[in-house]
């Protein structure tokens, strides 16, 4: 039973949930790395191992979202993301495992090896790709796609928002905070002063903030924004916190309200570099340190930038006496086999340029699998 459900049995009765992943994820002490960087005590939360086939932070959200899809009677799900979206891939993989078809509505992003790998793996898991030039054309394509799906499947598709971020999906990370509390109580780590986590569609950070408050854990979340402010502003974050709190209270009035002040969110935007999915030197340096000391691969778009915030704060001696938890949101399961079996020419033509044109200069081979 999920730790959240133990504390709020009414949520267990009322919310759709299905086990997809392998929880709880491990917590590890990165002693040598913490010492090398100048962090008091450094720990890592291994959400990269959240699933047997594919890990990362989307699995916790999909346990709720795909359960809702099944409950709705849909036989197909539809979601949106950028071309290399880990979320679209995770959705395709776990939907396929439940016998659901999936449509990924994708938009352009900077090219990288992982974009190619995710597209090939998505095709392996039967994702139906639609590539749109931008958000406006994507929005216009939604309705025809939904209707086409209705004709094909005999039912409307279940729509999952970008990043799986909506109150039901965010509940996966509310639960993750309760899971962390159990691990603290079991003595696996001291209560972290700070929890660093990459922030895209904001669901992971918002869920952790709400969950830690409800669980009475005094750690401060440090969301590192890796996407443009248009998609992840403090005001939008505050609304998401409020909506998710209200959603959970509707199902169980014991759950505390999700009201936060915009000024208390502590969103970091100094590690974004040149923009979403554009790798940064600082990020790649952080990734190299992690690989060297812990053998864990970070991702240039998300986790490398989030971890570079810890390096930056260690350099100014801001965390030399702190307990710091790095929440690892990127998958580390190997998809080489699935991706290796697909020829990119099987994908829609509009996606071929990711394979025919160079990756961005900073995406050195092996830097980011
Ligand atoms: C999607 C994603 C994030 C961002 O999580 P949000 O809940 O969208 O803020 C962070 N890291 C990785 C690897 C991701 O794929």
């Amino acid at each position: 039973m999920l730790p959240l459900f133990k504390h709020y049995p009414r949520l267990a009765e009322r919310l759709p949930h299905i086990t997809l992943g392998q929880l709880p994820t491990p917590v590890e002490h990165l002693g040598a790395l913490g010492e090398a960087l100048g962090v008091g005590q450094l720990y890592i939360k291994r959400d990269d191992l959240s699933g047997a086939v594919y890990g990362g932070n989307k699995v916790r959200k999909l346990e709720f979202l795909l359960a809702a899809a099944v409950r709705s009677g849909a036989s197909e799900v539809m979601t949106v993301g950028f071309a290399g979206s880990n979320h679209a891939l995770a959705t395709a993989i776990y939907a396929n495992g439940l016998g659901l078809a999936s449509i990924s509505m994708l938009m352009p992003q900077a090219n990288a090896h992982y974009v190619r790998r995710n597209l090939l793996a998505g095709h392996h898991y039967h994702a139906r790709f639609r590539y749109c030039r931008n958000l406006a054309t994507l929005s216009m394509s939604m309705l025809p796609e939904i209707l086409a799906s209705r004709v094909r499947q005999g039912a409307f598709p279940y729509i999952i928002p970008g990043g799986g971020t909506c109150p039901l999906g965010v509940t996966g990370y509310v639960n993750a905070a309760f899971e962390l509390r159990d691990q603290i109580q079991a003595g696996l780590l001291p209560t972290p002063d700070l929890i660093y986590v990459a922030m895209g569609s904001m669901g992971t950070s918002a869920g952790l903030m709400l969950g830690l408050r409800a669980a009475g854990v005094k750690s401060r979340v440090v969301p590192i924004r890796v996407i443009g402010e248009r998609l992840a502003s403090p005001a939008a974050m505050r609304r998401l916190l409020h909506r998710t709190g209200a959603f959970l209270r509707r199902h169980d009035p014991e759950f505390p309200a999700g009201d936060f002040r915009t000024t208390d969110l502590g969103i970091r935007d100094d590690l974004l570099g040149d923009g979403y999915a554009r790798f940064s030197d600082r990020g790649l340096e952080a990734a190299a340190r992690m690989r060297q000391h812990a053998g864990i691969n970070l991702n240039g778009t998300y986790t490398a930038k989030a971890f570079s915030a810890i390096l930056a704060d260690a350099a100014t001696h801001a965390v030399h006496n702190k307990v710091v938890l790095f929440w690892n949101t990127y998958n580390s399961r190997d998809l080489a086999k699935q991706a290796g079996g697909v020829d990119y020419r099987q994908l829609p033509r509009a996606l071929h340029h990711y394979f025919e044109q160079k990756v961005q200069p900073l995406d050195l081979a092996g830097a980011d699998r």
Side-chain angles (χ1 to χ4, degrees):
M1 155 116 64
L2 294 181
L4 174 68
F5 288 168
K6 274 196 218 128
H7 291 274
Y8 298 100
R10 259 178 282 188
L11 294 181
E13 284 164 30
R14 304 196 42 187
L15 296 185
H17 176 265
I18 190 166
T19 299
L20 302 173
Q22 298 183 318
L23 303 179
T25 58
V27 171
E28 289 166 11
H29 185 215
L30 300 178
L33 181 54
E35 203 162 306
L37 296 177
V39 178
Q41 291 190 62
L42 181 61
Y43 288 83
I44 184 168
K45 178 69 169 156
R46 300 290 308 269
D47 270 14
D48 53 305
L49 304 176
S50 60
V53 178
Y54 189 69
N57 65 338
K58 303 308 179 308
V59 179
R60 293 181 187 273
K61 300 175 176 183
L62 289 169
E63 288 199 337
F64 289 88
L65 296 166
L66 289 178
V70 170
R71 192 183 271 189
S72 78
S75 44
E76 188 158 43
V77 297
M78 175 187 281
T79 197
V80 303
F82 294 100
S85 172
N86 301 315
H87 163 68
L89 176 59
T91 302
I93 290 175
Y94 287 103
N96 183 64
L98 293 171
L100 298 169
S102 74
I103 310 168
S104 300
M105 309 281 294
L106 302 177
M107 291 177 290
Q109 73 163 85
N111 199 9
H113 286 107
Y114 86 90
V115 177
R116 296 176 180 172
R117 201 243 357 257
N118 282 6
L119 287 170
L120 297 174
H123 182 84
H124 173 89
Y125 286 101
H126 311 295
R128 180 185 286 268
F129 293 121
R130 284 288 171 275
Y131 193 59
C132 306
R133 203 171 310 145
N134 53 45
L135 197 54
T137 53
L138 186 143
S139 309
M140 285 191 311
S141 316
M142 286 286 283
L143 187 58
E145 278 304 326
I146 289 169
L147 296 176
S149 168
R150 169 81 170 73
V151 169
R152 203 166 50 234
Q153 303 283 349
F156 284 109
Y158 182 85
I159 299 187
I160 297 177
T165 289
C166 56
L168 183 63
V170 171
T171 303
Y173 269 88
V174 176
N175 174 66
F178 280 86
E179 178 181 304
L180 181 69
R181 185 179 89 159
D182 286 354
Q183 291 178 317
I184 294 167
Q185 285 180 347
L188 297 177
L189 76 166
T191 301
D193 296 303
L194 302 164
I195 300 176
Y196 287 71
V197 62
M199 183 177 92
S201 67
M202 309 178 291
T204 305
S205 323
L208 287 176
M209 282 183 192
L210 286 167
L212 292 170
R213 175 189 275 184
V217 177
K218 298 268 178 270
S219 311
R220 193 157 67 78
V221 178
V222 183
I224 292 96
R225 180 159 66 78
V226 302
I227 201 165
E229 193 163 28
R230 208 165 48 88
L231 294 176
S233 67
M237 174 84 158
R238 190 170 152 267
R239 279 196 300 276
L240 177 63
L241 286 159
H242 179 82
R243 275 171 53 218
T244 305
F247 166 80
L248 292 172
R249 282 167 73 76
R250 216 164 37 245
H251 293 291
D252 188 339
E254 306 270 300
F255 196 87
D259 296 323
F260 287 75
R261 282 199 303 246
T262 317
T263 45
D264 289 344
L265 301 179
I267 298 171
R268 288 280 291 271
D269 49 17
D270 52 327
L271 286 312
L272 174 63
D274 290 337
Y276 177 75
R278 299 198 178 274
F279 295 6
S280 65
D281 287 317
R282 301 169 83 179
L284 294 186
E285 188 207 326
R289 300 295 287 270
M290 180 66 89
R291 190 163 348 98
Q292 212 170 52
H293 282 272
I296 297 170
N297 282 300
L298 302 183
N299 164 275
T301 299
Y302 290 100
T303 44
K305 286 178 178 174
F307 192 57
S308 75
I310 296 182
L311 268 69
D313 293 350
T316 62
H317 305 289
V319 291
H320 74 276
N321 57 357
K322 302 277 192 234
V323 179
V324 171
L325 177 66
F326 175 64
W327 204 292
N328 193 21
T329 49
Y330 187 51
N331 162 62
S332 24
R333 303 293 184 199
D334 191 1
L335 290 172
K337 202 156 151 248
Q338 293 94 320
V342 178
D343 182 329
Y344 78 83
R345 282 163 296 215
Q346 296 168 253
L347 307 179
R349 252 198 119 78
L351 291 166
H352 292 190
H353 69 275
Y354 287 105
F355 300 85
E356 292 166 351
Q357 292 171 10
K358 288 202 183 94
V359 296
Q360 58 189 298
L362 281 182
D363 187 13
L364 310 171
D368 174 34
R369 286 187 319 128

